[in-house]
Amino acid sequence: MKSLYTFFIILFTVPVLAQSAKVQGTVTATGGEAIVKATVKLLNTNDGDLTDLQGKYSIDNLHDGNYTISVSAIGYASQLKAFELRKGQMLTLDVKLAESSSQLNEVTVSSEKRQEAIQKIPAAITALDAKQIREYRLWDITNLTAIAPSLFVVEHGNSTSSNFFNIRGVMGFSNEQAVATYVDGVYQFDYFSAPPLFNDVQSIEILRGPQGTLYGRNAYGGVVNITTKQPGNTPSGYAEMTFGNYGQQRYTVSLSEPLIKDKLFASGSFTYNHRGSIYYNDFTKSGFDRREDYSGNFNLRYIPAKQWSLALNVKTENDNDKGSFPWVGSIEDVFSKPYQVNTNNTNVERRNNFNTSLAANYYGRNFNFTSVSSYINWHEYYEGRGVDYDFSPLDALSTAPDQRQHVFTQEVRFSSPSASQSKLKWVAGTYGFTQNLHTVTPTFYGPDYVQFDPASGAPFTTIGNSRGNNKGYAFFGQATYSLTNQLDFTAGIRYDHENRGLSQYTDYQKDPAPATLLTPNADYRASFHAVTPKFVLSYKLQDNMLLYGSYARGFRAGGLNTNATDPAQVPYQPEHSDNYEIGWKNMLFNNKLKFNLTAFYLEQHNQQISTAMDGINALILNVGEMHNKGVELEVTALPVKGLQIDWNASYSHARYASLLLYSADAKAVVNYKGDQPINTPPISSMLAAQYTYDFAGSKQKLAAFVRGEYRYIDKYYFDFVNGLSQPAYNLFNAKAGISTRNFELNFWARNITDKKYVAYGSFGTFLLGSPRTYGTTLIAKF
């Protein structure tokens, strides 16, 4: 791999002629005082500087062209300024930063595969920076429900893994998810492989609507783009300790250091988390569940030349969840005996996850180049007899799957140069992957199983063995042309092709006899392809006001039904969708008010749903046609100094135009046209308000703050026939504390009213959402 990147450096690096173009200036506060160690960076380049004791910065050896400069400092609202630099010019560009308590940040995101101001991108995007992630106390994926409009997270099993994203009513019902998760530019293939714990995260971008052109497979309902903190020239670090009820303990340490100034940088973080029992096991008369996990994140960044940067990222995660999947068999039992199970199993789930990637970036005069190589290795398994599926003290039915997966990916992109003066901006590239899976699934039929099936011959064990080998490649391109100074047109297209292979057999074991072959090995093969276009027309009404309309086609990969008796039903086909969106984005009153409004309409075709057309053999079949239309609102306001209000809300009308499912009552296939999709509340909303009081004249920048959050989740259904549902509910969170330049102490509480609601329900399995939790967090910054 090292020789590959050396080759690219030699290939693309050209002698840099002496350049006299330069930008310099002074960064000051609105009162005129110099801001020391402000970060000044040119977007989509390696060029930047830190301000000195007089607040001065200087960036030289630049080509002529159009640039955007980003200026940020702790305690101040970040600013973006676009400017043109002529050949040989020495431009002076002074910047005044307002305090963050009186002005909103100008946010950059990388959703278009390049750094750009979020309010200038014609798409529905919500971005959370490190400060907001800390304020919302976002520890893992399950905390993201309603953080963005139309976003719902299904808490599947009271374990660290196995959580599902739902955006605009589009979600996955198998390992092939409908919302793609990216971590540091790397696609996470399986919901088990995506690191669910937020360790030292710099930003979370939530892209609503299909993003298949640039992000590829399964970016069907949207993308959750997670970026960890990247090291630079400024040494930094922090240590964080949290203690709460249910034995909650959480410790994080993070360090970032320049090893060689302007050349080599490193950062690392480690988090340990422990939580005691919430659930009580009536069978053992003791606590049932416990979470214990640790995660680490390491970044190494190297700039071998002005135009090049290399970034190595390594993540590791280990989860030990006792009492995972504390399901009960009826929705009545969930509420009559909250957080209580009655089982003879321990349900211990263990998970090891290793992610690593190497990214190379070249910023050239004529084009930019990016290469991202990644390897993912995860292993999930269950101790002993695994998860109890009879939900009782009986030794009747349980299963303990052992899953391993290895994934290699490679993406190569070329794009228009950062300082391009052309009216055309473009990106094009290719992507490829290999995915190898190995699963062993023992299902234990204990001696008590004869109570359900006297003729079964229990006790015995069946052991399913499967190996999968999937490969795919894609080609993509997207271009934006400025028809006028105010009107832009964007067109993109992507072609995806995948080959899937699966071999499996089943053994039978009757103790103490050795295992024998129950079903012979069977090989399954299938191929899929998709073309996903995108078109956007955007009009800049003013510099801080954008209006746009778009069309995009969504694509979700197909798969294999290994239990199909009819060979024609072994492969199930990809889903696709047609999506239309109109958006209006505004930044008003000198960056004191952000107001974004979006309207969307989507048609989901060939939806993959698990059903049994004969009432016996359940398969994933393409039997759904879902339509959804709705509106989304995002508002952030600073009405007075120190008070920030964030509100997002969404309304949607999602219905099936066709849904062919087997009805046990009718003993036939019935069209459930007009039903609502599962886990899709028509209305959801998040309102957060935080007031911060700065003690004037404090040398340590002493401040006190109080924060409140209110979430409203409308009624949603658990089954496709709309028979079981969770009524609308409210959740309240609060936080208060004090902070100084180097310390913060806060007290927090979540679900203050201890609201009982069903977070997951499906096929006779139900799970309550998290109860009231509270605690205190101490942060030391250095």
Side-chain angles (χ1 to χ4, degrees):
M1 186 64 70
K2 181 178 178 181
S3 60
L4 174 63
Y5 283 107
T6 302
F7 168 76
F8 278 123
I9 291 174
I10 295 173
L11 178 64
F12 292 123
T13 302
V14 295
V16 179
L17 301 176
Q19 299 289 330
S20 58
K22 176 180 179 179
V23 60
Q24 61 185 12
T26 304
V27 180
T28 60
T30 51
E33 62 273 20
I35 299 178
V36 182
K37 291 187 177 180
T39 301
V40 183
K41 188 180 185 305
L42 296 182
L43 299 187
N44 303 298
T45 74
N46 288 329
D47 298 304
D49 197 11
L50 295 175
T51 56
D52 59 18
L53 295 176
Q54 289 75 45
K56 296 184 181 298
Y57 73 91
S58 177
I59 306 173
D60 53 16
N61 292 327
L62 298 174
H63 295 294
D64 55 302
N66 296 321
Y67 292 90
T68 298
I69 197 169
S70 169
V71 185
S72 60
I74 297 175
Y76 295 89
S78 59
Q79 276 195 33
L80 301 171
K81 287 186 177 294
F83 64 93
E84 181 181 356
L85 195 62
R86 296 188 298 274
K87 187 174 182 179
Q89 183 181 12
M90 297 181 66
L91 176 66
T92 298
L93 186 63
D94 296 330
V95 180
K96 286 186 180 293
L97 296 183
E99 293 181 1
S100 57
S101 59
S102 59
Q103 194 173 88
L104 299 176
N105 286 324
E106 295 188 12
V107 179
T108 61
V109 293
S110 56
S111 60
E112 299 291 298
K113 301 295 185 179
R114 57 183 287 124
Q115 293 175 316
E116 197 166 351
I118 188 172
Q119 288 297 101
K120 297 185 183 301
I121 298 176
I125 308 170
T126 298
L128 303 170
D129 61 21
K131 180 173 178 287
Q132 291 171 299
I133 293 169
R134 186 174 66 252
E135 289 172 344
Y136 277 108
R137 211 224 69 172
L138 301 179
W139 286 357
D140 56 46
I141 283 176
T142 61
N143 301 145
L144 291 179
T145 289
I147 286 290
S150 301
L151 175 64
F152 186 83
V153 181
V154 181
E155 302 175 46
H156 181 222
N158 189 44
S159 67
T160 308
S161 62
S162 67
N163 300 292
F164 302 86
F165 283 122
N166 179 341
I167 296 180
R168 294 179 177 175
V170 179
M171 64 173 288
F173 306 107
S174 66
N175 288 7
E176 297 295 344
Q177 291 299 282
V179 176
T181 302
Y182 277 75
V183 182
D184 288 328
V186 176
Y187 172 59
Q188 307 297 308
F189 274 69
D190 193 289
Y191 61 83
F192 286 112
S193 72
L197 303 173
F198 294 153
N199 185 310
D200 215 24
V201 172
Q202 178 62 38
S203 66
I204 301 173
E205 301 171 14
I206 300 162
L207 289 63
R208 307 190 298 277
Q211 310 293 326
T213 301
L214 293 180
Y215 287 90
R217 71 191 310 275
N218 296 353
Y220 183 54
V223 169
V224 176
N225 203 1
I226 301 169
T227 303
T228 58
K229 291 182 179 177
Q230 302 299 306
N233 270 325
T234 304
S236 64
Y238 69 91
E240 180 179 314
M241 297 185 298
T242 295
F243 302 94
N245 62 334
Y246 297 110
Q248 176 68 64
Q249 298 179 51
R250 189 175 189 265
Y251 307 92
T252 297
V253 176
S254 174
L255 294 172
S256 179
E257 188 77 21
L259 303 180
I260 302 175
K261 185 180 179 182
D262 298 329
K263 283 290 184 181
L264 183 63
F265 321 93
S267 67
S269 64
F270 177 83
T271 295
Y272 170 79
N273 180 69
H274 171 88
R275 192 208 68 196
S277 296
I278 292 176
Y279 281 80
Y280 177 78
N281 189 348
D282 192 50
F283 176 70
T284 61
K285 307 301 181 184
S286 63
F288 177 67
D289 61 324
R290 178 208 65 208
R291 286 192 186 183
E292 189 170 49
D293 52 71
Y294 63 79
S295 59
N297 185 55
F298 174 76
N299 285 291
L300 188 66
R301 184 165 168 257
Y302 177 50
I303 301 180
K306 176 182 172 61
Q307 295 167 302
W308 279 94
S309 68
L310 301 174
L312 174 67
N313 176 260
V314 177
K315 298 179 184 66
T316 184
E317 196 174 291
N318 182 284
D319 307 318
N320 180 7
D321 294 331
K322 178 183 177 183
S324 62
F325 302 96
W327 291 336
V328 296
S330 73
I331 199 167
E332 291 78 18
D333 287 344
V334 166
F335 292 108
S336 64
K337 300 177 180 179
Y339 307 111
Q340 184 171 319
V341 296
N342 189 20
T343 174
N344 59 316
N345 279 34
T346 57
N347 289 26
V348 176
E349 178 189 46
R350 294 184 179 273
R351 179 174 169 275
N352 301 311
N353 193 4
F354 176 82
N355 273 242
T356 185
S357 64
L358 180 62
N361 285 285
Y362 167 78
Y363 305 104
R365 174 72 170 174
N366 300 310
F367 61 86
N368 290 346
F369 166 81
T370 297
S371 170
V372 181
S373 309
S374 76
Y375 169 66
I376 299 171
N377 177 8
W378 67 266
H379 178 204
E380 185 194 39
Y381 61 100
Y382 295 82
E383 288 187 356
R385 297 176 76 86
V387 177
D388 193 342
Y389 268 86
D390 55 65
F391 311 134
S392 73
L394 296 175
D395 185 3
L397 185 65
S398 62
T399 183
D402 186 313
Q403 306 176 73
R404 297 175 185 267
Q405 189 170 140
H406 302 269
V407 180
F408 294 89
T409 72
Q410 175 65 54
E411 181 171 349
V412 174
R413 297 193 307 268
F414 292 87
S415 62
S416 51
S418 304
S420 173
Q421 294 176 300
S422 171
K423 292 184 177 182
L424 181 68
K425 294 181 180 179
W426 55 271
V427 60
T430 184
Y431 175 84
F433 74 89
T434 63
Q435 180 189 31
N436 297 300
L437 310 93
H438 182 207
T439 302
V440 178
T441 308
T443 301
F444 305 99
Y445 298 84
D448 295 326
Y449 187 74
V450 294
Q451 296 184 27
F452 303 98
D453 185 359
S456 63
F460 63 91
T461 303
T462 61
I463 306 167
N465 294 269
S466 67
R467 290 185 179 274
N469 187 354
N470 305 323
K471 298 178 181 179
Y473 61 85
F475 301 98
F476 61 90
Q478 182 169 300
T480 299
Y481 185 77
S482 296
L483 301 171
T484 69
N485 290 335
Q486 295 174 291
L487 185 64
D488 290 346
F489 176 69
T490 299
I493 194 167
R494 185 184 187 102
Y495 174 78
D496 283 272
H497 182 89
E498 295 190 17
N499 292 314
R500 285 179 171 264
L502 183 67
S503 299
Q504 73 172 26
Y505 63 92
T506 305
D507 286 335
Y508 174 89
Q509 185 172 20
K510 178 77 171 177
D511 289 337
T516 59
L517 187 66
L518 179 64
T519 59
N521 186 73
D523 292 321
Y524 305 91
R525 297 289 183 268
S527 296
F528 310 102
H529 68 274
V531 176
T532 51
K534 178 180 181 179
F535 303 99
V536 185
L537 192 63
S538 62
Y539 184 73
K540 185 168 67 176
L541 297 167
Q542 301 175 16
D543 188 55
N544 57 357
M545 189 179 296
L546 181 71
L547 183 67
Y548 70 89
S550 67
Y551 164 80
R553 191 167 177 82
F555 158 66
R556 179 168 174 247
L560 295 165
N561 285 306
T562 59
N563 59 330
T565 56
D566 181 356
Q569 291 183 323
V570 169
Y572 56 89
Q573 299 304 312
E575 294 182 20
H576 63 274
S577 64
D578 295 296
N579 301 261
Y580 307 86
E581 185 175 303
I582 297 174
W584 184 33
K585 308 178 81 167
N586 303 267
M587 187 70 83
L588 306 170
F589 304 115
N590 194 26
N591 287 6
K592 294 181 184 296
L593 174 65
K594 181 183 77 174
F595 179 90
N596 293 343
L597 185 64
T598 308
F600 68 87
Y601 173 71
L602 67 88
E603 294 182 350
Q604 188 174 1
H605 312 294
N606 299 322
Q607 188 182 54
Q608 302 162 0
I609 294 175
S610 179
T611 185
M613 288 301 181
D614 56 2
I616 301 173
N617 298 304
L619 304 172
I620 297 178
L621 302 174
N622 301 92
V623 295
E625 180 90 8
M626 194 271 285
H627 297 174
N628 193 8
K629 53 189 174 185
V631 292
E632 301 165 339
L633 175 69
E634 288 184 289
V635 178
T636 299
L638 292 170
V640 297
K641 183 178 180 180
L643 176 61
Q644 179 168 325
I645 300 173
D646 296 280
W647 178 41
N648 77 70
S650 61
Y651 167 78
S652 67
H653 184 270
R655 296 292 187 273
Y656 278 99
S658 177
L659 180 60
L660 302 176
L661 302 177
Y662 181 83
S663 169
D665 294 334
K667 295 183 173 55
V669 173
V670 174
N671 190 345
Y672 289 90
K673 177 181 179 181
D675 279 12
Q676 297 184 36
I678 65 174
N679 298 310
T680 304
I683 299 174
S684 64
S685 178
M686 162 73 84
L687 176 65
Q690 178 165 322
Y691 179 72
T692 303
Y693 180 81
D694 295 318
F695 291 89
S698 171
K699 292 183 179 180
Q700 292 298 317
K701 293 192 173 181
L702 179 64
F705 64 90
V706 61
R707 178 182 181 85
E709 298 170 6
Y710 165 75
R711 299 188 197 194
Y712 173 78
I713 306 297
D714 204 359
K715 177 181 178 180
Y716 52 91
Y717 289 97
F718 299 118
D719 53 6
F720 291 105
V721 299
N722 291 178
L724 296 171
S725 65
Q726 165 60 50
Y729 61 92
N730 308 293
L731 296 177
F732 296 90
N733 303 331
K735 189 177 182 181
I738 57 173
S739 65
T740 67
R741 189 190 306 272
N742 299 110
F743 293 96
E744 179 181 316
L745 176 65
N746 65 66
F747 302 88
W748 52 266
R750 303 178 69 83
N751 190 6
I752 295 173
T753 62
D754 202 24
K755 177 67 180 178
K756 302 295 190 296
Y757 63 96
V758 179
Y760 174 77
S762 177
F763 304 110
T765 54
F766 299 90
L767 174 76
L768 279 180
S770 298
R772 176 173 52 234
T773 55
Y774 51 85
T776 182
T777 299
L778 175 64
I779 305 172
K781 295 168 280 188
F782 43 86

